[in-house]
Amino acid sequence: MTSISLNLQHGGAQGSLLVLGGARSGKSRFAEGAITALPAPWLYLATGRAFDDEMRARIAQHQQERGKVGWQTVEEPFDVAKVLQQYSGTPVLLDCLTLWLTNLLLDEHNIAAATQALLSSLQTRKAPTVLVGNEVGLGIVPESRLGRRFRDEAGLLHQRLAACVGKVVFVAAGLPLVLKNEDAAR
């Protein structure tokens, strides 16, 4: 993985990093490297739900790659804002935004309210936050109405977060491209 300096030392939205990329792009590995550059302990905020064997295997693979030393895991498919507030002083890796959005859509939660709660919780955090999301809008147009709504909601969520956070990185083929680094502008 290419090394880049992002200086994740502060909390709040400006101290947050949004990592975007496609499936298997290396975004989770990059995000984990950014968080583990900080002193432990770290919190892994997992939003995925294991509905089938394939998802169970993906979760197990992520856990194995991450290791156990220094990490605490909290599984929360819906109220990520509450967890971010509860662990305000701990560096948090939220993986992943698009699974969280899927959970909200499938269980018919208020996406606008949940997004606003997430944005508000980022503002008050004392430790850095790294958020991971799949950039799904780069592919084909989904065939189903739900698929198109998901793609649109994910794009809007990422835009709102990118406007709010201090740092945004896009990862493709394991290579990070810095899209926003407000520390570099100072």
Side-chain angles (χ1 to χ4, degrees):
M1 179 74 55
T2 302
S3 174
I4 58 176
S5 175
L6 292 171
N7 189 26
L8 290 179
Q9 298 298 319
H10 307 287
Q14 288 300 304
S16 298
L17 165 64
L18 175 61
V19 180
L20 300 171
R24 296 290 190 229
S25 64
K27 63 190 174 301
S28 291
R29 185 174 54 242
F30 179 84
E32 289 168 11
I35 264 299
T36 58
L38 299 167
W42 316 286
L43 180 79
Y44 188 91
L45 176 49
T47 62
R49 297 190 284 177
F51 288 123
D52 59 24
D53 289 339
E54 180 183 352
M55 190 60 174
R56 280 188 279 285
R58 279 181 176 250
I59 290 170
Q61 179 182 357
H62 273 283
Q63 290 171 338
Q64 181 181 6
E65 289 170 355
R66 193 169 56 248
K68 293 184 178 166
V69 178
W71 287 101
Q72 177 182 356
T73 300
V74 172
E75 296 178 4
E76 177 50 59
F78 302 107
D79 198 354
V80 296
K82 179 182 82 176
V83 176
L84 290 172
Q85 290 169 344
Q86 182 179 355
Y87 292 90
S88 177
T90 302
V92 172
L93 171 57
L94 190 162
D95 197 356
C96 101
L97 293 164
T98 40
L99 288 175
W100 173 66
L101 181 61
T102 299
N103 298 334
L104 296 174
L105 273 169
L106 293 178
D107 284 35
E108 299 180 2
H109 286 253
N110 183 328
I111 293 170
T115 298
Q116 187 55 51
L118 169 60
L119 294 169
S120 295
S121 70
L122 288 175
Q123 297 292 346
T124 60
R125 285 190 39 79
K126 294 174 181 62
T129 309
V130 176
L131 307 116
V132 177
N134 287 297
E135 192 55 66
V136 297
L138 298 174
I140 61 172
V141 175
E143 189 174 312
S144 71
R145 182 172 180 240
L146 179 61
R148 289 187 299 276
R149 179 171 178 222
F150 171 75
R151 178 214 47 207
D152 293 349
E153 293 285 359
L156 294 170
L157 172 65
H158 293 159
Q159 286 182 56
R160 291 202 59 200
L161 282 165
C164 173
V165 302
K167 298 156 188 21
V168 180
V169 171
F170 183 82
V171 180
L175 301 172
L177 173 64
V178 177
L179 302 178
K180 180 180 181 182
N181 187 0
E182 294 203 341
D183 284 346
R186 293 181 194 165

